[in-house]
Amino acid sequence: MAFVEVFALLLKRIDIMKESMDVRPLFSSLFRTLNVRQLEPLMRLIDFNIINLSSDPRSLANFESMVQIARYDVQMCLIDMIRPCVLDIARDKNGNNALQSLIILHNGASDFLVNTMANNITSLSHHPYASFVIQKCLHLGSKRNVLFIIFELSTTGLVSLLYQRFGNYVLQSVVRRLSVLNAEQCRELISEILSRRNELETHDSARKVVKTCDYVLKKM
């Protein structure tokens, strides 16, 4: 099928993103080659349907692939499209997986994504699916984005995550990444946590954090 015919098909059938077939090779060719101006008709169509597409696992996988392989200017436009529904996507059983991949791009696109979640980092850290997005950024995100997240969590009570069923995993990620980025700050945080060891050992979630702190402190 000719390139022009493929492009026309995409413009007529946005639901191709929901097809069971893997259309990533097709998107790879388009989004590696074309710039924002050339892709504008297709991107307008995606933007118009972004809420509907965000609820479909296959569509999200294809959207994720588009962003990962696209030129930088296209990446920014694609992420701008999902900005209005980023929090909903983060809390979605399938959508969180797409955001996990996008949040570790290590460029302005991932910075933009983290900025979009500002003032919601703590609430996302308590969520069963959204907490995976925060953890992934803490594990593999850029230094800038990791410090952005830690700062916001600190302003709302970082240690309060100790007792949270999902938040405790976010706090463990903070401890591990801080041990690499800022050893002194990490020791201060660990000291604050372990000063309450006896109390924390009686709580399942907090006990996991204590164990991580002991492990990290031993390795430092």
Side-chain angles (χ1 to χ4, degrees), residues 143 146-147 150 174-190 216 220:
K143 180 179 180 180
V146 169
L147 295 179
I150 292 176
V174 169
V175 171
R176 290 191 185 97
R177 190 65 189 273
L178 262 185
S179 68
V180 177
L181 296 180
N182 190 324
E184 182 179 352
Q185 187 179 355
C186 182
R187 286 192 178 92
E188 290 176 359
L189 176 59
I190 289 177
V216 170
M220 290 177 69

Side-chain angles (χ1 to χ4, degrees), residues 1 16 20 34 52 58 98 115 155 161-162 188 197 217:
M1 187 181 294
I16 194 174
S20 58
L34 305 181
N52 181 37
R58 174 66 61 174
N115 290 346
T155 62
L161 295 173
L162 277 164
E188 290 176 359
R197 181 189 291 271
L217 198 57

Side-chain angles (χ1 to χ4, degrees), residues 15 60 68 87 134 146 150 168 212 218 220:
D15 61 328
L60 276 168
Q68 288 179 324
L87 300 182
I134 306 302
V146 169
I150 292 176
N168 83 86
T212 294
K218 188 180 298 184
M220 290 177 69

Side-chain angles (χ1 to χ4, degrees), residues 158-172:
L158 187 59
V159 180
S160 66
L161 295 173
L162 277 164
Y163 302 101
Q164 297 293 330
R165 180 182 176 188
F166 303 105
N168 83 86
Y169 293 106
V170 172
L171 183 52
Q172 290 178 62

Side-chain angles (χ1 to χ4, degrees), residues 44-59:
R44 277 204 309 269
L45 193 58
I46 294 173
D47 193 12
F48 183 75
N49 290 273
I50 194 63
I51 299 296
N52 181 37
L53 296 176
S54 297
S55 64
D56 179 75
R58 174 66 61 174
S59 298

Side-chain angles (χ1 to χ4, degrees), residues 1-200:
M1 187 181 294
F3 181 85
V4 175
E5 292 174 317
V6 170
F7 197 74
L9 173 63
L10 287 171
L11 290 178
K12 289 178 182 178
R13 292 190 56 218
I14 191 62
D15 61 328
I16 194 174
M17 291 183 70
K18 294 185 177 182
E19 296 281 340
S20 58
M21 65 179 182
D22 189 350
V23 296
R24 279 174 287 187
L26 173 63
F27 285 129
S28 176
S29 176
L30 286 171
F31 283 82
R32 273 202 177 97
T33 307
L34 305 181
N35 58 35
V36 171
R37 184 183 60 79
Q38 293 168 317
L39 287 168
E40 185 178 357
L42 175 58
M43 293 175 71
R44 277 204 309 269
L45 193 58
I46 294 173
D47 193 12
F48 183 75
N49 290 273
I50 194 63
I51 299 296
N52 181 37
L53 296 176
S54 297
S55 64
D56 179 75
R58 174 66 61 174
S59 298
L60 276 168
N62 287 323
F63 183 86
E64 171 190 346
S65 297
M66 282 192 294
V67 178
Q68 288 179 324
I69 54 86
R71 293 158 50 117
Y72 177 68
D73 57 341
V74 177
Q75 280 184 338
M76 292 298 291
C77 286
L78 287 169
I79 287 187
D80 189 41
M81 288 178 185
I82 64 173
R83 178 169 55 173
C85 51
V86 159
L87 300 182
D88 290 332
I89 295 175
R91 296 184 182 107
D92 184 80
K93 181 179 180 180
N94 301 299
N96 81 88
N97 292 308
L99 289 191
Q100 286 184 57
S101 296
L102 305 184
I103 209 166
I104 58 173
L105 287 172
H106 283 240
N107 60 23
S110 58
D111 293 348
F112 184 79
L113 191 57
V114 171
N115 290 346
T116 301
M117 297 190 298
N119 301 317
N120 293 280
I121 301 296
T122 299
S123 63
L124 293 174
S125 296
H126 295 171
H127 191 276
Y129 299 126
S131 59
F132 291 138
V133 179
I134 306 302
Q135 288 179 63
K136 180 57 71 74
C137 188
L138 288 168
H139 282 308
L140 299 173
S142 67
K143 180 179 180 180
R144 179 265 182 198
N145 288 334
V146 169
L147 295 179
F148 183 101
I149 287 175
I150 292 176
F151 176 78
E152 181 166 324
L153 288 173
S154 298
T155 62
T156 56
L158 187 59
V159 180
S160 66
L161 295 173
L162 277 164
Y163 302 101
Q164 297 293 330
R165 180 182 176 188
F166 303 105
N168 83 86
Y169 293 106
V170 172
L171 183 52
Q172 290 178 62
S173 297
V174 169
V175 171
R176 290 191 185 97
R177 190 65 189 273
L178 262 185
S179 68
V180 177
L181 296 180
N182 190 324
E184 182 179 352
Q185 187 179 355
C186 182
R187 286 192 178 92
E188 290 176 359
L189 176 59
I190 289 177
S191 177
E192 181 181 358
I193 293 171
L194 295 184
S195 67
R196 302 158 58 184
R197 181 189 291 271
N198 291 339
E199 169 196 344
L200 301 178

